[in-house]
Structures are given as C-alpha cells and as structure tokens.
Amino acid sequence: MASDASATVSGGFVVDQAEQARFMAAKRRLLWRKRLLPVGAVILLLVLWHWAVVAFDIKPFIAPTPTAVFRVLIQRFDILMANLMPTAIEAVCGFLLGNFAAIALATAFVHNRAAEEAFFPIAVMVNTIPVVAKAPILVLLLGNGMEPKIAIAALICFFPTLVNMVRGLQDVNPQALELMRVLSASPREIFLKIRVQNSLPYLFSALKIAASTSVIGAIVGEWIGSVKGIGALIIQATYAFDTPLLYATIAVGSTFSACFFGVIGLIERHVVKWKSDRAG
Amino acid sequence: MTAAVAVSGAIPAGTAAPAKSGAAEAVRCEGVTVRFTTERGTVTALDGVSLAIHAGSFLTLLGPSGCGKSTLLRVIADLVPPSAGKVAVLGAKPEVARRNRDIGFVFQDAALLPWRTALQNVQLPFEVGGAQQRPGTRPPEELLKLVGLAGWENAYPHELSGGMRQRVSIARALVSGPKLLLMDEPFGALDEITRDRLNEELLDVWESTGTTIVFVTHSIYEAVFLSQQVLMLAARPGRVRALVPITLPSPRRLPVRETAEFVALAGLLRRELENC
Ligand SMILES: Nc1ncnc2c1ncn2[C@@H]1O[C@H](COP(=O)(O)OP(=O)(O)OP(=O)(O)O)[C@@H](O)[C@H]1O
Ligand SMILES: [Mg+2]
C-alpha cells in the first residue's frame, strides 16, 4: 500500500522544534502546578491548625500545635526511627508475602475453574473478618514476634490483589483470544502473552492499595502486646498523654506509607508503558 | 443498458453451489449449518450454505445484519464448528489450514494488543503457535512499509488512529503469507476518504500477493469496487441468496465508481439487498 503522503511525509512523528518546545513547557507548567498546589494547601492547613490551638487555648495533651509536633520529630528522631524499622520490615514482608500468595492463587484459579469455584467464596468470607478481629487470633497462633504482624499485613494485602488479579487475567479482549486461536497459540502462550500482560494494570492498582494497607496491618498488629514498632509507640504515647509524640509517630508512619506507595507507582511507570482501555 | 447488466448479473441461489471441486479451490462449503443455543432458544445463523471460492479470487459477503456473514468467516477460520455440513480450506480441514498458518484473519476492530508496539504486533504471529517465517514471505518491517506505516514501528496502538491500527492488523494478517485472507468489516469504522484509500491499497496488496480474499462489508460500493464476486446472503436463517459476478476490469482505481457499469451493478445489488 502506498504511504499517505498528506498526513506525514516520512511516516512516524514529525519533529517541529518550536511546537515541541511549547509542548514541553506546557507539560512542565502543569507538573509544577500539580506539585505546588498540594504543598500550598498543606501549609495553609498547618497554619489554620496552629491558629486554632492557640486561639481556643487547647491543652497540649488534647491537641498539640504543629510546631510542638515538629520539635518532637527532631528531638526524638532516633526513637521514632528505631520504632519505624520493625514496622517497615513487617509491612514490606507482609506486602511481598500477601501479594505473592494472591498472584499465585489467581494464576491457579485461571487455570482451574473448579478451584476458583471452591475457594473463592472462602477467600471472600475470610476477608469479611475485620483486621482488628483477625489480629488477636494471629497473635495467639504465632506468638509475640514479628510473625503475627507480617501475617496480618499479608492478609490485608491478599484480598484486593487476588480479586484484581483474577479479573485482570480473565477480563481479556475476546478478539485477542480469537486472534490467538487463529494463530494456533498454545494455552501457555495465551497465558503469558495475553493474560499476564492484560493483568498488569489491574495488578498495579491493587499493589498501590496494598502498599498503604500493609502498613496499617503491621501497626494494628503491634497494638496487641508489642513493645516496639509504630503501633506500640502509638499506644504508649496515648497512655502517657504524650500527644506531641503521638502525632509525630503518626506522621512518621504515614510518611513511610506514602513513600512505599510512591515506589510502587514508580515501578508501575516503568513496567506499564501502554494505555489500557479496559482496566480501571 | 443498465437493465441488461442487471438481468445477466444475478445468478439464482441454486447455482451458487458449485459443481466439481478442483485443485485451485481455496474454500469449499457444503451444506454448512450453524446453530447457536442460548437461554432464549436456538438461532440458526447459517442454514445449508454451499459455496466454492477459487484460489486467488476476491469474494465479498453482503447481506442484512444478522444474516451470518461473520459466522461464515468464523466457520472457515475454524473459530466456530459447523453444526452440520462440510468445510474444506485449501483442500483440507479448516483446522489443518489454521495450523499451517494458511489463514489470515482481520477483525472488525483491529484487535491489536495494546501493550505491544506496531512492529511487535506484526511480529506476534512468529512468537506463538510454533511458527517460523516462511521462505518467500516479507519481514514485518517491510509489511509495515507496504501498508504505509514506515516510521511508526515503535508507536503503541493508543498513539495510532483507527485507520492506522487497521493497517497494522492487515500487516499482521499478511505477515505469515496466508493463502486465504478473511476480513470481517475491516473498514467499517473509518471515514469514507480513508476507507476509499484503504480500498485501493487493499486491491494493490491482493494483486501483488495473489492471496484469496473473503471480505465482509455493509457497503454496496465497497463490495462492487473490490470484488470479483459478491455472495449475497439472506437472513433468518442465513442462506445463500445469489452470487453476483462483478465484471469490472482490473486493475481498478477509484474513478471506476463513476462508470455506468459500476452504477448498474450497485443498483442491482441494492435491489437484491432490499428483497433479502
Ligand atoms: N456466539 C453466538 N451465540 C449466540 N448467537 C450467535 C453467536 N454468534 C452469532 N449469533 C447469532 O447468529 C446470527 C448471525 O450472526 P453474525 O454475527 O454471523 O451476523 P452478521 O451477518 O455478521 O451480522 P452483522 O452484519 O451485524 O455483523 C445472529 O442472529 C446472531 O445473533
Ligand atoms: Mg458481523
């Protein structure tokens, strides 16, 4: 077929220097806007918060000022970090374990419909038990070390990933499957070249949820008879009415959560370079 | 003059079933019936369809919506098993032809894999089904050039227009050098100008590769412009109504559509379609 000369002379992307520069400048502007606006909003909220505490003369043990929290963050940085360490390890281990199990099970489900029909309802049932109820059971089963916390973090990651992964592996374009049949592809090739690829956007949206919930799981696990970790520090600070420390602990926990989320997002951008018209 | 063409053009349904099977036959269907059973009952999509398509010819299926055009293509491609009747592709069972990579299929909505670039999509046929590049067939890069997409090798489908995606899928169907190319409304979603251009380009490909093409369309003009024969199907149940030879000279260019002969043939097909 002849090339359509009217649209693009040599095919491919035509590079127009001025237009390209304009495009990049507009893109940069939007990016800075997206970065700076939330920072501005945070500063505004902190100022409001500070003003409210001072204006209404609220006692420090009920609500501290942001500056008091900030002071604790700097002065007791070593204690905060020492307690972040175990929580981070538990959250990351739980994340890896829970997601790995979910991906493995989803793969098994796609290969064996009977297994899915038998075990999916059980997975749904286990998921309806709230974390706070699962935590004591696991502590009783696994002792007081890191294991029960890892197990809780893993369980909390497991379900969303399982559901998303099963959907991603199954929800493929039917025409893509017909195409593979026309090409006489083997079931293994269909799995690797269609289903796995199709599931990646679904998987990453589950992993991003799991990145934050695994930290929550580890913290909740530490609430039950733990002496170290962000969860333990939250309990200790609360009972000691050391509210600035409580706030600082929470800030450290959520900062870690946000970083974890960011890392997963970064990996996603390198793995999924295409746009899906199906995955949400 | 118009009337003369019309009268001699139509061949009654009975003669659409050909007599002898020869070596130069790309497709042969004998009494093919396809039924689909669902909760709401059984649909007879095709009812006793018989036809023969000569190797190297260009045949278009034309008929009202739901008359079984897609189903007929899918039976030929071994995507749907017939409930009754026999199908032969290149003298063998459709499954054999499919496994030999003798069949290329172009889907209505391109069906490109969104995670693959244009070039990777065209390379897909060599990565699955244990197929290797046949001697004498053109490499993927060259086929992209053939369909006018040189320079777009590394673009993802979401960066391509609908017409470009359709051309990638045509390149993918051609890459294994199929002897039979099945196309299900490939240009249905395109604007008329793009469609005209792709029609001309498709005729070029057909003439340069010598493959047999079975083409489905709803456009009477497209059918007359492209085909050597138009097979008209009637609906409910889907059956052969007439086989209309298109006697326009080849090679054809777009201005042929303004000739009296073209207009007469289009009118004939329209009247046939209205009676389907
Ligand atoms: N997988 C299926 N299950 C049930 N019924 C089907 C299936 N595929 C096709 N049919 C039915 O078979 C009949 C023929 O369908 P087919 O898609 O072949 O028509 P078509 O001629 O291609 O129509 P269109 O021009 O609208 O694409 C229709 O009545 C349709 O409802
Ligand atoms: Mg159809």
Side-chain angles (χ1 to χ4, degrees):
Chain A
M1 298 190 189
S3 73
D4 42 336
S6 57
T8 50
V9 179
S10 62
F13 297 95
V14 176
V15 180
D16 174 342
Q17 297 290 344
E19 182 57 36
Q20 196 71 17
R22 258 199 304 283
F23 176 79
M24 293 313 280
K27 205 174 154 173
R28 262 198 307 277
R29 243 193 334 272
L30 278 176
L31 200 68
W32 275 111
R33 214 177 103 122
K34 227 174 109 181
R35 277 183 201 151
L36 289 179
L37 280 180
V39 172
V42 166
I43 292 171
L44 185 74
L45 284 176
L46 287 176
V47 168
L48 265 177
W49 171 10
H50 192 95
W51 173 81
V53 171
V54 174
F56 297 109
D57 192 23
I58 295 169
K59 302 272 174 302
F61 69 87
I62 292 177
T65 56
T67 40
V69 175
F70 196 67
R71 216 174 300 126
V72 172
L73 268 178
I74 290 170
Q75 284 168 357
R76 308 179 73 175
F77 188 72
D78 45 347
I79 296 176
L80 288 166
M81 283 304 118
N83 280 286
L84 174 62
M85 223 39 214
T87 307
I89 293 171
E90 289 153 10
V92 172
C93 288
F95 176 89
L96 293 176
L97 200 71
N99 287 310
F100 181 78
I103 293 169
L105 195 61
T107 306
F109 280 176
V110 171
H111 282 97
N112 189 339
R113 269 331 258 270
E116 184 191 342
E117 280 154 11
F119 292 109
F120 206 67
I122 298 178
V124 174
M125 237 157 61
V126 171
N127 187 58
T128 59
I129 308 171
V131 210
V132 281
K134 274 182 262 188
I137 296 174
L138 287 164
V139 172
L140 286 176
L141 280 173
L142 298 170
N144 220 348
M146 275 190 175
E147 295 87 350
K149 288 97 180 176
I150 293 175
I152 293 164
L155 263 181
I156 222 172
C157 296
F158 177 77
F159 193 75
T161 305
L162 178 68
V163 172
N164 261 297
M165 194 67 191
V166 167
R167 240 187 77 204
L169 289 172
Q170 283 176 349
D171 198 12
V172 298
N173 185 348
Q175 292 214 323
L177 294 180
E178 289 202 319
L179 169 72
M180 292 305 261
R181 181 168 162 90
V182 169
L183 297 174
S184 305
S186 67
R188 194 186 143 77
E189 286 164 343
I190 292 173
F191 182 74
L192 291 176
K193 300 215 179 261
I194 304 282
R195 295 192 185 280
V196 170
Q197 296 288 341
N198 190 68
S199 72
L200 288 179
Y202 295 79
L203 174 64
F204 272 101
S205 58
L207 290 185
K208 281 193 281 191
I209 298 171
S212 17
T213 53
S214 67
V215 180
I216 295 173
I219 290 174
V220 170
E222 286 163 352
W223 280 354
I224 300 152
S226 219
V227 287
K228 56 185 190 344
I230 294 290
L233 201 56
I234 285 175
I235 298 287
Q236 285 163 23
T238 307
Y239 286 125
F241 289 102
D242 191 350
T243 316
L245 178 63
L246 174 65
Y247 277 55
T249 312
I250 293 169
V252 167
S254 14
T255 305
F256 173 72
S257 237
C259 291
F260 198 1
F261 182 93
V263 168
I264 302 298
L266 217 65
I267 297 173
E268 179 183 24
R269 269 205 285 163
H270 282 272
V271 175
V272 186
K273 290 207 173 71
W274 48 281
K275 279 209 177 74
S276 170
D277 44 352
R278 300 171 76 80
Chain B
M1 182 189 105
T2 311
V5 175
V7 170
S8 65
I11 294 174
T15 47
K20 302 266 178 318
S21 72
E25 228 171 54
V27 179
R28 185 177 189 84
C29 294
E30 280 170 20
V32 169
T33 298
V34 177
R35 289 188 203 94
F36 293 107
T37 303
T38 61
E39 289 96 339
R40 273 174 286 114
T42 301
V43 183
T44 305
L46 291 175
D47 188 22
V49 170
S50 297
L51 61 99
I53 303 170
H54 295 294
S57 67
F58 196 127
L59 179 118
T60 294
L61 302 177
L62 194 64
S65 188
C67 70
K69 304 180 294 293
S70 299
T71 305
L72 183 54
L73 278 198
R74 296 146 79 82
V75 168
I76 295 170
D78 191 33
L79 293 173
V80 170
S83 313
K86 270 194 290 193
V87 183
V89 176
L90 303 161
K93 277 198 225 159
E95 192 193 336
V96 176
R98 170 167 67 80
R99 294 204 176 276
N100 283 345
R101 284 297 166 80
D102 286 332
I103 300 175
F105 205 109
V106 178
F107 294 91
Q108 185 164 1
D109 71 351
L112 300 184
L113 304 184
W115 47 83
R116 287 174 164 252
T117 61
L119 183 62
Q120 287 168 341
N121 264 290
V122 180
Q123 286 166 336
L124 179 74
F126 299 130
E127 294 172 24
V128 299
Q132 280 123 39
Q133 177 123 27
R134 278 189 213 181
T137 58
R138 286 180 255 207
E141 294 82 358
E142 215 181 296
L143 274 165
L144 274 180
K145 216 171 285 163
L146 180 77
V147 296
L149 287 177
W152 291 94
E153 290 83 358
N154 298 320
Y156 284 92
H158 73 260
E159 297 168 320
L160 301 174
S161 74
M164 292 160 93
R165 265 178 256 164
Q166 205 50 265
R167 282 185 276 173
V168 175
S169 87
I170 291 172
R172 179 179 62 194
L174 289 173
V175 79
S176 42
K179 299 190 179 109
L180 176 65
L181 188 57
L182 306 172
M183 308 178 85
D184 194 355
E185 292 182 48
F187 309 136
L190 304 182
D191 70 89
E192 218 152 319
I193 304 301
T194 310
R195 178 194 277 229
D196 285 350
R197 197 167 59 224
L198 289 180
N199 277 177
E200 271 193 329
E201 290 171 357
L202 180 63
L203 280 183
D204 289 344
V205 169
W206 173 61
E207 267 151 29
S208 66
T209 56
T211 61
T212 311
I213 297 182
V214 183
F215 190 94
V216 172
T217 181
H218 277 291
S219 158
I220 292 170
Y221 299 101
E222 197 171 49
V224 177
F225 179 65
L226 292 172
S227 344
Q228 294 188 311
Q229 288 175 306
V230 175
L231 187 73
M232 315 232 14
L233 297 176
R236 269 163 285 276
R239 59 204 184 278
V240 175
R241 189 184 161 83
L243 184 69
V244 182
I246 304 297
T247 46
L248 299 172
S250 283
R252 295 174 196 164
R253 290 288 126 193
L254 287 170
V256 79
R257 295 184 302 181
E258 277 131 47
T259 63
E261 202 182 352
F262 185 98
V263 174
L265 281 164
L268 166 71
L269 291 184
R270 178 173 297 280
R271 278 189 297 283
E272 284 283 336
L273 212 51
E274 277 162 1
N275 294 331
C276 273

